[in-house]
Amino acid sequence: MSFIAQIKFLPKEVKRFIATEALLGIGMGIFGLVLNLHLLALNISPEQIGVLNSVGTLVMGAAAIPAGFFANYIGRKRVFISGITLIGIGYGLFGLGESMGIFYLAQIIQFIGISFLITTEIQLLFSYAKINELETVSYSLLFAVFTLFSGMGTLLGGFIPNWLPFGNTKYQWAVYISAIFILLAALLRGILLPCLNNSFDKGKSKLLLSNIRISQVFDKKIILITFYLFLAGMAFSTIIPFQNVIVKFRMGWSDEYISYFLTVNGLILFFASMVMPWVINKFGTIKAFYYVYWMNLFFALILSFNDISVMMFSTIFLLRSGCFTLLNNMIESQTMSVIEEEKRDFFAGEKSLLRSIGSAIASYLAGYILENENYTYPFLAIFVILFASLLYFVVFIKPIFVEKLNNGKFSFEEEIQKDVEDM
């Protein structure tokens, strides 16, 4: 069945989930562009920003395991909405703050919220989708909407400082506006999204928590996948948190031109997200991973050279960004799909912990590199990390995916036929 037909049969809960992702995307897009510029305008150094990011990702990891237990006890939706609310509060504190102490507090609150968000988001979405094949489609659409509206937010982030140049820095009101969008997303999702699964009812949750064995949660498959996501976290945080700084200083562009460029980047990410199901269906899961890995390695290697022109750098930067988003989405969706439903909350907590540790290490190293004005070395670092990730995929993750493909024959067409007959 075609991708468009699959979208048509998405449950209404999934459609509401995806529609409200637009507000989250706009808020995070604005914040992602202006935060580092706001901090730099307050004389916070790139190395301090790197440490701040490292602290945030470590807090996110530390909160991940408790978030998984909370999701089982009080419900995924409640933890999910609480996480979005905390992100909005953290954003607001960044706007209010003037000292590193306030920024650390804002970062801690924000990243506890992010931990709650990412520990519940995918499995909550998948529980609404219900069918395995629709899980991949739902995730693809969710990230596509996020990246599209994140690009719109990035574009707005380039103009708002000129429209409202008030406060401690000209970026302060842009930070406030990003917080408003996030809090609005929390409010609407709280109203529109049903509590289809408070994971389980309270009685079942208590019974589950009392009967779970360590061997069930920390089994071999989960351990192998979580370390794989540790490498993915390192790859993500080597470039993404600093891409506006890299573009600004590597190309010498103004804030407005950076916002244009990163808006185009967002459109590339949108396209990459939309084609993910097609890529997997066209080439098969294993071949798709191989092809996307090699494209990422190729583009990262080119960007690691310091003497390429600005035009070539910007073009390859956009291509690399799209390919990396495609790889990252494939990793996130496919690893969650191979985990049994009853283990997904615990797996989400564990993967967030390992991924956060990897992100913290990479953020600190990237901040140190950028402090010394080496704007191409992060791409060399990501080349090494991705190559190690590819080797790990071949040895440990590929057999898990192959087992799923051999044993998990999807009954999507049969399920759709049932839906049609029931209409």
Side-chain angles (χ1 to χ4, degrees), residues 9 54 86 104 137 164 188 197 203 218 234 246 274 280 341 344 347 359 413-414 422:
F9 283 98
S54 296
L86 288 173
Y104 279 118
V137 176
L164 300 169
L188 289 179
N197 67 328
F218 297 95
M234 289 192 70
I246 292 172
M274 290 296 290
I280 292 176
E341 165 63 24
R344 284 181 174 177
F347 167 68
S359 295
E413 299 288 348
E414 296 175 5
D422 291 340

Side-chain angles (χ1 to χ4, degrees), residues 187-235:
L187 176 63
L188 289 179
R189 282 182 160 175
I191 295 171
L192 296 176
L193 295 182
C195 293
L196 283 185
N197 67 328
N198 277 333
S199 192
F200 306 91
D201 63 50
K202 286 188 177 180
K204 288 184 179 180
S205 294
K206 290 178 181 178
L207 182 63
L208 176 70
L209 291 172
S210 63
N211 290 337
I212 279 191
R213 300 175 181 175
I214 295 297
S215 60
Q216 289 178 309
V217 179
F218 297 95
D219 62 18
K220 181 180 177 181
K221 178 168 68 175
I222 289 178
I223 291 172
L224 289 174
I225 293 176
T226 50
F227 187 76
Y228 182 52
L229 292 164
F230 165 83
L231 295 173
M234 289 192 70

